[in-house]
Amino acid sequence: MTEQTISDLGSSGLLTDRYELTMLAAALADGTASRRCTFEVFARRLPDGRRYGVVAGTGRLLEALTRFRFGDAELTALADASVVDAHTLDWLAGYRFTGDVDGYPEGELYFPGSPVLTVTGTFAEAVLLETLALSVFNHDCAIASAAARMVTAAGGRPLIEMGSRRTHEQAGVAAARAAYLAGFASTSNLEAGRRHGIPTAGTAAHAFVLLHGGADRGRDGDGEARAFASQVAAFGPGTTLLVDTYDIAAGIERAVAAAGPGLGAVRIDSGDLGELARQARDQLDALGARDTRIVLSGDLDEYAIAALRAEPVDAYGVGTSLVTGSGAPTAGMVYKLVEVDGRPVAKRSSAKESKGGRKSALRRHKPTGTALEELVHPAARAVEPGPHDRVLAVPLIRGGEPVHGDEKLEQARERLRAALVSVPWEGLKLSRGEPAIPPVFDLCVAGAAVAAPPTHHPGGTHARVGDRGRAARLLRGRLAGGGRRGLGGGSDQRPDHHIGDHQPRRLRPCGGHPGLPRRPGRALQRPARPPHELAGALRGGHRRRGVPPGAGRRPDRGGVRQGRPRGGVLRLRGHRTGRRRPGRLAAGPRGHRRRRGRHRHRPLRAGHRAGCRPPRVRHHGAHRVHRRGGARDHPGGGGRDARGRGPGGVTGRLSR
């Protein structure tokens, strides 16, 4: 059966949010509605614990787009609720999308920042599609991503989608489609079978067995035997019998007695599934039903399926965890404006920034077929694919009309199967980790450098709020316009953001490698800004409670804190910025030794955080480590120790 079109659902025009019509009405009033715009659908991050996502829902979106109209019923509803004015209602009456749509095909993998869908058209046409696009992609991609992990965990054993009773009636149909695209073998949802041509499968519920039992029908075993005989009579011995209503061992015996050794399968829905599967296999073999399959179900997810790989299981039935995304019910995708009249625009909100400009992507592979990275670049800048590269986005709609006919789900299944084969082994693990294929954002246009939020790429240069030492190294080069060695430097190397943003940013000049400098210690130049300004950029300040940043500095000494610094070593993420000087020792409480006297402190080097209080260094009384060539009770201290002994102490011995 081929995939069928939904003709009885009517218009999809009101499957949108009111704020989109608010923007439309205002844009029509001020004349900006006709400006040429580009919107992109992407995920800022993958759900927690995921290493890849699966694109699904493109076919459903294109079908819904053909029904995105505003008929008399829709216009009347908008007018009655006073959602928009009369001018906007007249415009909506003739709405037809006439723009272009590009995107990743179904079954393709995506990662943080991947331009999964690109919608180009007038602002008025494109802005109305946000909710429709996101509702389809966030649901279907979440289901397909979870289903793909379950398929991988099953190791080639078939899976049956059984989740329609755990979700919305229409969501159950969409979930069955996404699961089949991801590799499931069949579904229990008959509407999904009719609408999308998915094979259907089903067994029976415990209610059917209980129907044939009861107080007036004799013992439980007699009722179960009658239920099995009735089902075999209706569907033949190849049917699947549910054997865990009462006692599983007795149920298997009655099932084989009713259907003979040619029994198709038995299903176990509760208990310790691994142990029960082993016992069932031994019992079936002893009864001569060696070809009878064992189907397990009951709150399975990818982790439970992976734990059952060593057991004699032939198929799995998955319901609740599948239709809820196995803990990630939404893919977290967003629909953002990235270009207006050919000019890149970007959102700079904290933790929700976007990358401006229309983008395209290609995936690089080794000659063996293993994927290396996903390169995201401006669509305006052509990138010549290598011999093993593959362009990901394909044209879907041109001038409001579909470019190709309806793609079969089998094609998407095969595409996903090939994509998963190209993923490195580490990317298929169920444990937490980095994206399986690291995306790289090379967003340079005409030789200009840009700063883009990164994904976690090994070897990349990041500036994190918590990594102040690394931030200082970056600022020493960036604020002076120096750049890394071999990149040319200049004012164009400055990032367009401040270092205090709470999102890590990856600084990649055009054509430059994102890694660390080739010569550590020489590649980064000294800053042109005074140290106190640099410290302000790093959000520095005293560690003492109630002292604001910038207080107690002496600019004439490079930002040295006023007062009496304590003995100890001032460190910022492993960078030594001060040195303890030897001084007198005095008796402290309980015989411990403590330092006294005023000690000099080294000025902070340029680029380090100024005005911070050195951490206290605990001296454990008379505990000392004596090293060859001289006793030593603290770093930098030579001569005599706390007991007045000179050089020549016992080597390597801890004494009191």
Side-chain angles (χ1 to χ4, degrees), residues 46 50-52 109-112 371-373 422-429 433-439:
L46 295 175
R50 304 292 174 85
R51 297 174 183 247
Y52 61 85
L109 302 181
Y110 73 87
F111 302 93
L372 291 174
E373 66 179 14
S422 69
V423 172
W425 284 111
E426 294 80 5
L428 298 178
K429 294 179 179 179
E434 303 296 330
I437 303 174

Side-chain angles (χ1 to χ4, degrees), residues 20 28 127 144 264 380 443 477:
E20 292 164 10
L28 289 173
V127 73
L443 304 181

Side-chain angles (χ1 to χ4, degrees), residues 365-433:
H365 299 78
K366 293 181 180 179
T368 57
T370 302
L372 291 174
E373 66 179 14
E374 181 173 311
L375 176 64
V376 181
H377 62 89
R381 178 168 59 86
V383 175
E384 186 67 26
H388 305 289
D389 297 347
R390 179 165 57 86
V391 178
L392 298 176
V394 298
L396 300 173
I397 292 179
R398 287 292 179 268
E401 298 296 329
V403 175
H404 307 291
D406 294 338
E407 185 183 56
K408 307 302 180 185
L409 285 177
E410 294 297 336
Q411 296 176 261
R413 283 165 61 90
E414 183 58 35
R415 183 180 296 113
L416 176 58
R417 190 179 300 114
L420 290 176
V421 169
S422 69
V423 172
W425 284 111
E426 294 80 5
L428 298 178
K429 294 179 179 179
L430 299 181
S431 58
R432 299 170 183 260

Side-chain angles (χ1 to χ4, degrees), residues 282-584:
D282 294 340
Q283 186 177 2
L284 288 170
D285 292 345
L287 295 173
R290 295 183 175 275
D291 295 329
T292 299
R293 295 174 293 118
I294 298 176
V295 180
L296 299 183
S297 61
D299 295 329
L300 295 178
D301 59 11
E302 61 265 41
Y303 302 102
I305 293 172
L308 293 169
R309 290 190 65 170
E311 308 301 341
V313 183
D314 297 285
Y316 303 94
V318 187
T320 304
S321 63
L322 175 67
V323 298
T324 58
S326 190
T330 177
M333 292 191 174
V334 294
Y335 185 93
K336 295 302 177 184
L337 179 66
V338 297
E339 193 171 271
V340 177
D341 292 334
R343 178 178 58 86
V345 295
K347 179 180 177 182
R348 294 302 181 194
S349 303
S350 177
K352 288 188 175 182
E353 67 272 7
S354 60
K355 297 177 282 292
R358 180 177 176 177
K359 293 171 280 296
S360 185
L362 60 85
R363 191 163 295 157
R364 303 190 185 279
H365 299 78
K366 293 181 180 179
T368 57
T370 302
L372 291 174
E373 66 179 14
E374 181 173 311
L375 176 64
V376 181
H377 62 89
R381 178 168 59 86
V383 175
E384 186 67 26
H388 305 289
D389 297 347
R390 179 165 57 86
V391 178
L392 298 176
V394 298
L396 300 173
I397 292 179
R398 287 292 179 268
E401 298 296 329
V403 175
H404 307 291
D406 294 338
E407 185 183 56
K408 307 302 180 185
L409 285 177
E410 294 297 336
Q411 296 176 261
R413 283 165 61 90
E414 183 58 35
R415 183 180 296 113
L416 176 58
R417 190 179 300 114
L420 290 176
V421 169
S422 69
V423 172
W425 284 111
E426 294 80 5
L428 298 178
K429 294 179 179 179
L430 299 181
S431 58
R432 299 170 183 260
E434 303 296 330
I437 303 174
V440 175
F441 300 94
D442 191 358
L443 304 181
C444 310
V445 179
V450 298
T455 54
H456 302 287
H457 189 297
T461 301
H462 297 73
R464 300 176 183 274
V465 172
D467 194 349
R468 300 189 185 277
R470 202 169 196 179
R473 293 201 305 273
L474 285 174
L475 284 179
R476 280 208 299 275
R478 298 300 180 189
L479 297 182
R484 290 187 293 268
R485 181 179 181 270
L487 298 180
S491 60
D492 60 305
Q493 299 293 326
R494 264 182 213 181
D496 57 351
H497 61 277
H498 58 82
I499 202 68
D501 196 333
H502 285 276
Q503 286 294 311
R505 294 177 181 269
R506 184 174 185 172
L507 309 176
R508 178 166 184 165
C510 184
H513 191 275
L516 295 174
R518 299 179 185 176
R519 286 190 186 178
R522 182 172 177 224
L524 299 177
Q525 302 178 3
R526 286 185 172 273
R529 291 187 175 185
H532 64 277
E533 292 187 18
L534 182 62
L538 291 173
R539 295 182 176 178
H542 288 290
R543 296 182 185 273
R544 290 179 295 177
R545 183 177 302 175
V547 181
R553 294 175 182 160
R554 290 166 56 179
D556 58 330
R557 291 198 178 185
V560 177
R561 180 180 61 83
Q562 294 179 350
R564 297 164 59 97
R566 296 176 180 270
V569 179
L570 173 62
R571 291 184 180 274
L572 293 176
R573 295 286 180 181
H575 294 276
R576 178 164 177 156
T577 59
R579 186 177 64 187
R580 182 174 63 251
R581 299 293 186 181
R584 293 177 296 165

